[in-house]
Amino acid sequence: MPIADKPRNPIFNDNKFKIGTFATNTIGSWHTTAPEAYQPTWEDSLRIAKLADSAGFEAILGLARWKNPGTHAIDHRGNVVLDSFTWTAALAMATRHCALFATSHAPTVHPLVIAKQAATIDHISGGRFGLNVVGGWSRAEFEMFGLKLFEHDQRYDYLEEWVTVVYKLWESKEEFDFDGRYLKLKGALSRPQPIQKPHPPIMNAGISGRGQRFACQYADCCFVTSELTKEEIASYRKVAREQFGREIGVWAQIPILQRKTRAEAEEALNYFAVQNEDGPAVDGWQSGALAESRSLTNETVKLTRLMFATGGVPILGSARDIADQIEALSEKGLDGILSAWTDFDDGLPRFIGEVFPLLEQRGLRKPFQPPHP
């Protein structure tokens, strides 16, 4: 598939390194019981989106989640997830610059519905919509829908059909039939089609070999873990270019913890992720990931408990420390990151006011010029 329309969507701008926010329609990525932790309300997420938008962030991504895998407490804050499609539609009216990514667990929603919703939000936003496609991994969520969770590789077989249908609905000039293994459509059409041509950008997190191949073939942004080496990141572009004739972006999700000094940041990390670790949530994420992932073993899970508490390998320290680490990620080959802070109201202004100028000095970003009304 050709890459999405570059002039319209900011994820294709000429900043060398791009920045987005992660999962402010829910708790972000931090599993902590600290009282300062971000609360996923509409008012809070709207305020954070406006701040990121006015600072020139490239993307705002909302997760799709139906049940937090880490707890059976129904009122746990991790179960509070604003629907990412209606949420991005609302944010489209309150922002002017950021790309707005909604997430779909593909097996839970028919591609006809997604194609229509996505095109509608693309029109509302003036061509700033993006779709994060997820095959799903949480067995408990699939059981809520009465659906079978496919075996790992079969999930990608289903995703291939699902994305193919979405693309056809977005691009086809006439009605079409589709007779796949999983999906059957007769006389299918969807209008309006998106503003972005040939389609809005798609993001996908494909980590396994099968997942990487799917992402390289169908996604515009491959979402990877920050621990990948320079060679492993380069392999995504190599597969996309040599096997599918495509150019792709490679992004990662990385939590950020900024303080005046690295020692203060490390102390804060211990406070949020160790002293106030949300134990049931971390236990649930660990056990779920271990059960459904091919790349995790019991030993690696033990070593990465802190990653489950923070949602990744955190960038932390002073503003200069964080700028150094972002520069290193860029040199390793990443095009951008989606980030979460424990307290967005505290962390985001720090990052914008202190780190952004350093990134501009290093040529990783350009000073932001807001779009004309």
Side-chain angles (χ1 to χ4, degrees):
M1 296 289 178
I3 203 160
D5 184 22
K6 293 186 178 182
R8 288 187 179 275
N9 198 303
I11 68 164
F12 300 115
N13 69 22
D14 56 2
N15 277 334
K16 186 176 181 181
F17 199 84
K18 299 167 180 64
I19 309 286
T21 62
F22 180 76
T24 52
N25 67 322
T26 182
I27 61 174
S29 67
W30 291 77
H31 296 108
T32 179
T33 59
E36 303 93 329
Y38 174 75
Q39 299 299 319
T41 68
W42 164 244
E43 292 78 12
D44 287 340
S45 64
L46 175 62
R47 183 175 63 256
I48 296 307
K50 287 182 175 180
L51 179 58
D53 189 66
S54 64
F57 278 51
E58 278 78 17
I60 295 170
L61 181 140
L63 282 187
R65 184 174 297 148
W66 306 98
K67 176 185 285 189
N68 189 300
T71 178
H72 295 295
I74 194 168
D75 292 325
H76 187 277
R77 60 191 282 269
N79 283 328
V80 180
V81 186
L82 301 172
D83 170 69
S84 65
F85 280 84
T86 49
W87 182 76
T88 52
L91 289 183
M93 296 297 293
T95 57
R96 296 168 54 199
H97 168 71
C98 286
L100 302 163
F101 278 85
T103 300
S104 175
H105 280 114
T108 69
V109 190
H110 196 280
L112 273 168
V113 176
I114 293 298
K116 177 77 75 175
Q117 290 178 328
T120 300
I121 301 172
D122 203 45
H123 281 261
I124 293 170
S125 65
R128 292 185 289 124
F129 180 75
L131 179 62
N132 181 35
V133 178
V134 179
W137 65 270
S138 174
R139 197 167 297 276
E141 289 187 319
F142 275 66
E143 288 173 350
M144 287 176 66
F145 283 89
L147 296 174
K148 176 184 177 182
L149 180 64
F150 292 137
E151 178 272 331
H152 179 274
D153 283 5
Q154 194 177 0
R155 296 174 207 170
Y156 287 100
D157 295 338
Y158 179 88
L159 274 181
E160 284 191 354
E161 285 194 13
W162 191 93
V163 171
T164 298
V165 170
V166 170
Y167 277 150
K168 287 178 70 69
L169 289 165
W170 281 345
E171 300 172 23
S172 180
K173 302 300 183 185
E174 55 189 25
E175 295 182 6
F176 65 90
D177 297 339
F178 186 87
D179 186 19
R181 176 182 176 187
Y182 304 100
L183 296 168
K184 313 282 185 182
L185 292 84
K186 184 174 180 62
L189 63 85
S190 183
R191 293 296 188 274
Q193 292 180 318
I195 290 177
Q196 296 178 84
K197 303 300 181 186
H199 54 74
I202 279 186
M203 181 177 287
N204 175 258
I207 306 300
S208 66
R210 181 69 175 89
Q212 177 183 358
R213 181 177 176 82
F214 172 85
C216 290
Q217 183 174 3
Y218 293 99
D220 300 293
C221 295
C222 296
F223 206 39
V224 304
T225 61
S226 62
E227 310 95 274
L228 293 187
T229 65
K230 184 175 184 177
E231 292 72 26
E232 288 170 329
I233 292 171
S235 73
Y236 277 78
R237 294 190 177 88
K238 182 176 176 19
V239 169
R241 187 177 297 120
E242 294 183 359
Q243 297 189 28
F244 304 109
R246 309 178 67 246
E247 298 297 326
I248 59 170
V250 184
W251 291 48
Q253 189 275 311
I254 302 180
I256 294 177
L257 186 53
Q258 181 182 344
R259 292 294 186 267
K260 290 183 179 180
T261 67
R262 185 175 184 89
E264 289 181 16
E266 290 174 346
E267 183 179 344
L269 178 64
N270 183 67
Y271 168 77
F272 286 114
V274 180
Q275 295 177 21
N276 288 285
E277 178 200 82
D278 186 343
V282 175
D283 289 341
W285 279 97
Q286 277 192 333
S287 60
L290 183 62
E292 302 300 339
S293 174
R294 291 181 168 183
S295 60
L296 291 176
T297 65
N298 279 306
E299 285 305 310
T300 58
V301 165
K302 289 177 184 176
L303 293 172
T304 57
R305 185 172 183 89
L306 185 66
M307 290 176 55
F308 284 97
T310 62
V313 179
I315 291 175
L316 77 163
S318 68
R320 190 165 297 279
D321 291 330
I322 291 172
D324 289 344
Q325 292 166 74
I326 288 176
E327 186 172 21
L329 291 172
S330 176
E331 290 173 352
K332 197 163 66 167
L334 286 181
D335 296 296
I337 56 174
L338 297 175
S339 295
W341 288 259
T342 51
D343 178 353
F344 281 83
D345 282 309
D346 172 76
L348 209 55
R350 287 180 192 253
F351 185 80
I352 293 167
E354 299 174 19
V355 178
F356 262 28
L358 297 176
L359 299 180
E360 291 169 7
Q361 291 171 17
R362 301 178 189 202
L364 295 174
R365 297 184 63 83
K366 296 179 180 179
F368 179 56
Q369 299 295 329
H372 295 296

